[in-house]
Amino acid sequence: MPARTLPNLGLNGFFDLGEDNWNDEMDTNLLKLSVLSQGNVLSKLSAEPGTPADGDVHILDETNATNPNAVIIRDNGAWVYVTPQPGWLLFNRAQGYHERFNGTVWAELLTGGGGGANFPPFAGHAGRPLVVNQGENGVEWSNQPPLPRSLALLRQSTSQNFPANTSGVITFGASDSVQDQGGFWDSANPSLFTVPAGVTTVLVTASFQVAASSGNSNYEFFIRKNGAITHLQRTEVSGWGGQTISTILDVNQGDLIDCVLWSEDAFDTFPERTTLAIADIGSLGVSPAQMEGVFCRVEQNASQILPHNTTTRIEFQNVVEDNHNGWDSVNDEFIVPQEADNQIAVITVSFGRNSEEGTDSGFLRHSTDGGANFSVIGNTRTEENFFGNNSITAIVRVRAGDIIHFNSFFFDNVGSSNSSTLGNERVSFSFMTFGTTLPQNTPLASVNTQIGTIYTPVISDANGVIEMDQASANTVSLPLNSSVPFAVGTTLTMTQLGAGQTTVDAPAGVILNGVDGGNVNLNGQYGMATAYKRDLDEWVISGALV
């Protein structure tokens, strides 16, 4: 039997007695064993070195035109080229690490303290998890998002004095860093946190506890970004008191975040009770491409009077952010845009007021039917002698076209019917999502049976069925987008359940099957047709039509 090549190292063996070339091939076998057993090379090069010595061993990299990835051995004045197999491992003495051939290139083997896989490039993947794959590399970057990370957790170790009626920035010294995993806190500038590169959205939580120098004292506690108030709490305490506030901010590298305290009386912060925590949540639950962050943030920039025993819609004059044009400044409400359809939303409201003794109630309200009906998704109530503050956070699933607004009710407890005043720059509203679309494993709209002769669909009809159960002629009138903002791609299925002819009608300004103000008829009882919205005021319908 003639000699054959053996697996892995490519040694030749099983020669027939007296077979030609036995001596040369056995010499090559021994040379390979000498080089590849506990193998190491001097370096990895793109071409053979010009002044080699016998016994030199190198790797040619993948750019070599003639022998890419070959292991080259200088023997008896000539180069011997050995073609590697996937999985071969050689120690690169020049670089001080092992190189592994994956079938395409030689690459550094990063074991991570005992592993055996080549890692993909690290750049641009901070915080992202690695997962085992089925390929030659062994591991790859997961499609899951980077993990949330703590940027700073600070706690005052000594008290800080604040004069009466004076705003002061909370300061943290070099010894006040409880947790600073990335080295982001600049203790040399103890009043400010500077946002590092790669951070887009942060969760900021701050708390304080004070010991006042007099009886009742009114406090204001702010979180600021670049000197502008982003969140505020107001409270009145007697002696000791405290407060905790949280907010979510879209940020850029270099933005400055700090906390400010104000009191009408002099006070000292209580040691180890005043804290600031900042976490990077820029990709919480989603990939960076999906992350929407803050859709809308609005604030008051003028005071608003809240009459006694009256429910009042809170007004917001200053639109800080409105990424998808969802804020309706005429009605002071947020209309959920298509970009947030079927997502989990986080909605926060804070407001501070000053008045005589009274009770404040705040209601965050949500409508799914274009404003016909509202449900309360968050509320708060507090009784204050003068200064007061409320804050609400709600988490809710939203659909495009949903409406959200905030109402307040004030009652003067002393019976003099005095009004309350919302403080200038003390009221804010924010709406954000994490781009997390909810699974649609249940119907998004139920069957809506109508017994009248004319019906205009509402937002809750989206992707559902409208039955017209009427003995006389009847009409389903497709609305203008300005009155009922169905998302593009929404479907409406109409069924003529009764004997009366059902017409699907488009008023002027709405295009149906290419006709402005067009209309179609269903073909009789139990006839059914489906229309889908292809543009803001354009529908296409097909089905059992005449």
Side-chain angles (χ1 to χ4, degrees):
M1 176 185 295
R4 65 180 187 271
T5 301
L6 305 180
N8 292 337
L9 296 182
L11 305 179
N12 290 321
F14 298 92
F15 295 93
D16 285 341
L17 184 63
E19 185 174 335
D20 290 341
N21 298 319
W22 179 90
N23 183 65
D24 293 338
E25 293 187 17
M26 285 303 296
D27 287 344
T28 301
N29 285 346
L30 294 172
L31 184 63
K32 286 183 178 180
L33 284 171
S34 176
V35 169
L36 299 177
S37 178
Q38 298 295 322
N40 66 86
V41 298
L42 294 174
S43 63
K44 182 168 66 175
L45 306 169
S46 60
E48 296 87 340
T51 56
D54 279 356
D56 288 354
V57 183
H58 300 271
I59 294 172
L60 293 179
D61 67 21
E62 69 278 5
T63 67
N64 186 274
T66 307
N67 296 285
N69 299 308
V71 179
I72 59 173
I73 308 162
R74 190 69 175 181
D75 182 64
N76 198 26
W79 288 109
V80 178
Y81 296 86
V82 178
T83 300
Q85 300 297 313
W88 281 18
L89 191 68
L90 293 172
F91 184 74
N92 186 328
R93 291 161 63 182
Q95 298 297 324
Y97 54 65
H98 282 88
E99 301 237 14
R100 180 177 179 269
F101 184 61
N102 65 10
T104 305
V105 297
W106 287 92
E108 179 185 1
L109 177 72
L110 301 177
T111 66
N118 283 334
F119 280 40
F122 289 164
H125 297 281
R128 189 176 295 278
L130 282 165
V131 296
V132 177
N133 64 18
Q134 299 299 318
E136 287 295 332
N137 280 341
V139 291
E140 63 185 5
W141 294 115
S142 169
N143 289 329
Q144 295 298 315
L147 301 175
R149 54 176 176 158
S150 171
L151 298 178
L153 175 58
L154 309 166
R155 183 176 62 212
Q156 281 191 337
S157 56
T158 59
S159 62
Q160 181 180 354
N161 178 258
F162 289 82
N165 201 29
T166 302
S167 294
V169 177
I170 301 293
T171 60
F172 298 91
S175 62
D176 293 345
S177 178
V178 178
Q179 192 175 76
D180 185 14
Q181 295 179 352
F184 301 123
W185 180 255
D186 180 7
S187 59
N189 189 6
S191 299
L192 295 169
F193 175 83
T194 303
V195 175
V199 178
T200 59
T201 306
V202 294
L203 171 64
V204 183
T205 299
S207 64
F208 78 96
Q209 184 172 323
V210 299
S213 59
S214 64
N216 289 345
S217 295
N218 296 302
Y219 295 92
E220 289 187 334
F221 191 32
F222 309 87
I223 293 175
R224 302 191 307 180
K225 182 178 80 171
N226 297 328
I229 298 170
T230 64
H231 202 73
L232 169 142
Q233 289 276 36
R234 252 180 165 173
T235 189
E236 180 181 6
V237 299
S238 176
W240 285 7
Q243 189 67 267
T244 297
I245 53 177
S246 297
T247 190
I248 296 172
L249 303 175
D250 279 348
V251 292
N252 297 301
Q253 181 181 1
D255 282 350
L256 303 175
I257 298 172
D258 62 5
C259 297
V260 176
L261 261 172
W262 173 89
S263 172
E264 63 181 346
D265 298 309
F267 69 95
D268 294 321
T269 57
F270 200 86
E272 300 187 356
R273 300 294 188 272
T274 301
T275 64
L276 173 66
I278 301 176
D280 174 14
I281 60 168
S283 298
L284 184 61
V286 291
S287 68
Q290 293 174 303
M291 182 62 194
E292 280 292 350
V294 177
F295 271 86
C296 181
R297 184 159 63 89
V298 293
E299 298 174 346
Q300 279 195 341
N301 57 15
S303 299
Q304 180 181 359
I305 302 300
L306 304 180
H308 163 67
N309 202 27
T310 303
T311 298
T312 306
R313 177 73 54 81
I314 302 302
E315 301 169 358
F316 298 92
Q317 302 88 2
N318 182 28
V319 179
V320 180
E321 291 183 71
D322 189 13
N323 297 337
H324 300 285
N325 301 315
W327 184 254
D328 178 358
S329 58
V330 175
N331 297 304
D332 283 296
E333 59 192 16
F334 183 74
I335 301 174
V336 177
Q338 176 63 35
E339 290 81 359
D341 185 47
N342 199 35
Q343 293 186 11
I344 297 172
V346 180
I347 306 160
T348 60
V349 175
S350 66
F351 65 104
R353 59 94 172 172
N354 49 54
S355 68
E356 297 303 323
E357 182 178 350
T359 300
D360 277 312
S361 297
F363 306 95
L364 189 59
R365 306 205 309 160
H366 177 211
S367 173
T368 61
D369 57 6
N373 298 281
F374 282 86
S375 59
V376 175
I377 57 175
N379 67 88
T380 184
R381 179 176 176 139
T382 186
E383 183 176 349
E384 301 288 349
N385 184 38
F386 189 75
F387 278 179
N389 182 82
N390 284 312
S391 182
I392 301 172
T393 299
I395 300 175
V396 64
R397 186 187 86 160
V398 294
R399 299 305 310 267
D402 285 3
I403 299 174
I404 300 165
H405 64 223
F406 182 61
N407 288 349
S408 181
F409 176 84
F410 172 71
F411 186 84
D412 183 353
N413 292 349
V414 299
S416 56
S417 300
N418 289 327
S419 61
S420 177
T421 303
L422 290 178
N424 181 22
E425 297 183 347
R426 301 296 188 269
V427 186
S428 65
F429 169 98
S430 66
F431 174 97
M432 71 175 299
T433 77
F434 291 114
T436 306
T437 300
L438 297 181
Q440 301 183 22
N441 57 355
T442 57
L444 298 179
S446 60
V447 175
N448 180 2
T449 303
Q450 293 290 317
I451 59 174
T453 58
I454 187 168
Y455 178 68
T456 300
V458 297
I459 284 291
S460 58
D461 290 317
N463 305 307
V465 177
I466 300 169
E467 296 179 339
M468 299 302 291
D469 189 4
Q470 172 59 244
S472 302
N474 55 85
T475 301
V476 177
S477 180
L478 300 175
L480 286 162
N481 184 75
S482 59
S483 59
V484 184
F486 286 113
V488 173
T490 296
T491 62
L492 298 173
T493 299
M494 278 68 67
T495 300
Q496 181 181 318
L497 197 61
Q501 175 73 64
T502 296
T503 298
V504 180
D505 176 69
V510 177
I511 297 172
L512 181 62
N513 284 4
V515 178
D516 190 338
N519 60 76
V520 296
N521 294 327
L522 300 187
N523 68 354
Q525 192 170 17
Y526 304 115
M528 183 172 67
T530 297
Y532 78 90
K533 187 173 183 178
R534 69 175 305 272
D535 208 342
L536 290 181
D537 282 304
E538 183 175 356
W539 295 79
V540 174
I541 188 170
S542 64
L545 304 173
V546 292

